[in-house]
Amino acid sequence: MTDTSPRQPKRRIFFAIWPDDGTRAALLEATRSCVGAAGGRSTPAENLHLTLAFVGEVAADQLAAIRAIQPPLVGGFDLLIDTTGFRKRARLLWAAPQRVPPALLALESGLWERLGELGIERDRRAYLPHVTLARRASRSDVDIGPVHWSVSEIVLVESILGPPHSTYTVLETWSL
Ligand code: 2AM
């Protein structure tokens, strides 16, 4: 018998802040020596981003509902990327703001509130906003110059896993 309800292919998605060309160039410039010193597999320039909410794999109907979300309009804000860190187990080198703006946290929690209404629960890990610079890296203690990142929109992104790297496609953009 023909299966009339084929399994929907799932898509891996997340909400993020994506740098514009100028911010991306500044991030690259500020982190070049740090990434060079840490070795490993550096994030391709076009993949640099800061994740707001990682949703994971969703079916088509769930994706449609997520695309229709109205994110909390917290207004534009500035991020100052001025530190780096290292996640030992994943050997992941990241850059981050030392001071996390309240608007960023409001955005993240507001998104999860809306996702919760769609039955999507967040994982329990604390939110640590960061830009992944390299994987399989070694620890680097090189400081980075501050990068001013003016945030005025957020995006919903689809991730297709590599190798060698994930490919990211912006599905939706919202102005803050
Ligand atoms: P990472 O770079 O620190 O691994 C796309 O994969 C984006 O979602 C990346 O920014 C990635 O963060 C993040 N991500 C992947 N899996 C995740 C998970 N289980 N929880 C939170 N963020 C995740």
Side-chain angles (χ1 to χ4, degrees):
M1 204 169 88
T2 313
D3 183 0
T4 52
S5 57
R7 217 186 290 158
Q8 293 179 333
K10 294 217 166 180
R11 295 166 74 180
R12 184 182 169 90
I13 59 160
F14 62 100
F15 287 89
I17 294 169
W18 220 264
D20 62 17
D21 291 347
T23 307
R24 182 182 305 109
L27 271 171
L28 284 170
E29 177 63 29
T31 58
R32 184 168 293 126
S33 64
C34 172
V35 170
R41 219 156 32 88
S42 58
T43 304
E46 69 273 17
N47 279 6
L48 291 169
H49 67 274
L50 186 145
T51 294
L52 280 167
F54 180 78
V55 180
E57 302 220 325
V58 295
D61 49 357
Q62 228 173 359
L63 177 56
I66 293 167
R67 289 179 91 142
I69 270 180
Q70 283 307 312
L73 300 181
V74 297
F77 59 92
D78 289 330
L79 267 179
L80 199 63
I81 305 290
D82 55 357
T83 192
T84 58
F86 187 71
R87 206 188 299 153
K88 218 169 169 183
R89 195 181 292 177
R91 292 174 57 202
L92 190 144
L93 177 72
W94 46 260
Q98 286 191 63
R99 186 194 152 273
V100 179
L104 181 63
L105 298 179
L107 198 46
E108 189 256 356
S109 57
L111 278 172
W112 279 114
E113 227 169 80
R114 286 153 177 78
L115 289 165
E117 287 161 10
L118 301 177
I120 299 168
E121 298 301 328
R122 63 180 309 165
D123 69 24
R124 289 199 199 141
R125 280 179 289 181
Y127 178 52
L128 290 173
H130 66 277
V131 178
T132 296
L133 300 174
R135 297 175 195 277
R136 297 194 205 139
S138 49
R139 181 181 292 280
S140 166
D141 292 320
V142 183
D143 278 342
I144 59 166
V147 173
H148 293 261
W149 187 342
S150 171
V151 179
S152 58
E153 58 184 34
I154 67 168
V155 288
L156 178 68
V157 179
E158 176 168 18
S159 161
I160 297 184
L161 296 176
H165 297 283
S166 297
T167 303
Y168 298 135
T169 306
V170 172
L171 303 178
E172 298 288 342
T173 302
W174 293 269
S175 259
L176 292 174

